[in-house]
Amino acid sequence: QVQLVESGGGSVQAGGSLRLSCAVSGATNGRNCVGWIRQAPGKGREGVAAIYAGDGTTHYVDSVLGRFTISQDNGKNTVYLEMNSLKPEDTAMYYCAAGPAFPLCILGTSRNTPYWGQGTQVTVSS
């Protein structure tokens, strides 16, 4: 089993920044990929960013490219999502997610995303 605990959400004005953290623990072979999935009210899930635990390779959805950065601190077993130049359309519940295959862990399917955190709310006002 893999456990994921998020922190760092909040409210910010457009153009501002937030950093989300995901503390990762548990079986290592189930979390080769760790990432972030968001869901806005009334919308479907969207995979935002993923990182490969082995070498730090990253993957981003086009809408956040250049604004969001995913990183990992192996010593602290923590994955971060640095979010800059935030827009109102970034408002959503953000979930840390993990799975065995990179970057598939941000697809949100039961097969590719077996592990989820509890979620943290990000609200961006205009």
Side-chain angles (χ1 to χ4, degrees):
Q1 283 286 6
V2 176
Q3 293 79 43
L4 307 170
V5 179
E6 304 102 330
S7 60
S11 297
V12 66
Q13 289 191 328
S17 300
L18 283 173
R19 188 177 79 159
L20 306 183
S21 300
C22 176
V24 183
S25 61
T28 56
N29 61 351
R31 49 181 170 99
N32 294 321
C33 173
V34 180
W36 296 88
I37 298 171
R38 66 186 179 187
Q39 186 163 21
K43 296 188 177 181
R45 295 169 179 169
E46 179 183 39
V48 174
I51 190 164
Y52 176 53
D55 63 6
T57 301
T58 59
H59 171 81
Y60 300 92
V61 68
D62 286 349
S63 61
V64 307
L65 203 58
R67 300 189 299 122
F68 290 12
T69 302
I70 189 169
S71 62
Q72 61 185 3
D73 182 332
N74 291 330
K76 295 182 179 179
N77 289 324
T78 302
V79 172
Y80 302 98
L81 185 67
E82 186 76 34
M83 305 185 293
N84 298 315
S85 301
L86 282 162
K87 304 175 181 180
E89 50 264 44
D90 294 317
T91 295
M93 184 70 79
Y94 283 70
Y95 297 91
C96 185
F102 171 84
L104 304 183
C105 67
I106 58 172
L107 288 180
T109 62
S110 57
R111 175 175 182 175
N112 292 296
T113 315
Y115 306 110
W116 293 78
Q118 80 283 1
T120 185
Q121 179 68 37
V122 171
T123 302
V124 184
S125 58
S126 57

